Amino acid sequence: LHKSWICQDYSTGRACGVWLSANFLDVVTIDPDSKLSLAISTCDKLQIGQPANSLGHYLRIVSGKTVLTIRPLTADVTQLQDCLVRMAHAIVSCRDDLGIPTQV
């Protein structure tokens, strides 16, 4: 296990746990049947953005046809973008270790 975060799924608004290991990015919500496991090798595009309503930032992870949009849960919104950059950097580092380029 490299990193873990408590996040919010941007599409559903649900809290989720995100675990990053050398080969997988696992996302689990409170519903035990809704686990999403993405192979790091397929997470080929990362985008940090800000929605039109300007309420915080998000990290979009594209893995083939799967698009995951998350943001870490934090009390200090001013640190949100820095946390997202660290999350993206951790994913890119795992992909670099596998010798795979990432579009950021």
Side-chain angles (χ1 to χ4, degrees):
L1 179 67
H2 288 289
K3 302 280 183 178
S4 62
W5 303 277
I6 301 297
C7 293
Q8 177 184 26
D9 181 323
Y10 222 76
S11 62
T12 65
R14 292 183 180 164
C16 58
V18 178
W19 287 269
L20 174 66
S21 66
N23 295 308
F24 290 96
L25 182 71
D26 294 314
V27 181
V28 180
T29 65
I30 199 157
D31 178 4
D33 295 329
S34 68
K35 179 180 177 186
L36 175 64
S37 187
L38 302 174
I40 288 297
S41 61
T42 64
C43 297
D44 52 4
K45 184 177 180 185
L46 303 176
Q47 176 188 20
I48 294 176
Q50 187 171 15
N53 63 12
S54 298
L55 296 176
H57 288 76
Y58 59 80
L59 174 63
R60 180 168 291 133
I61 302 165
V62 179
S63 176
K65 292 184 179 183
T66 303
V67 177
L68 175 65
T69 305
I70 56 175
R71 65 181 233 158
L73 293 177
T74 176
D76 188 353
V77 180
T78 60
Q79 294 182 0
L80 184 60
Q81 190 171 7
D82 289 339
C83 185
L84 288 167
V85 169
R86 287 192 302 271
M87 289 173 73
H89 183 264
I91 294 169
V92 169
S93 291
C94 285
R95 287 178 53 86
D96 284 348
D97 290 346
L98 296 172
I100 304 168
T102 308
Q103 182 181 353
V104 181

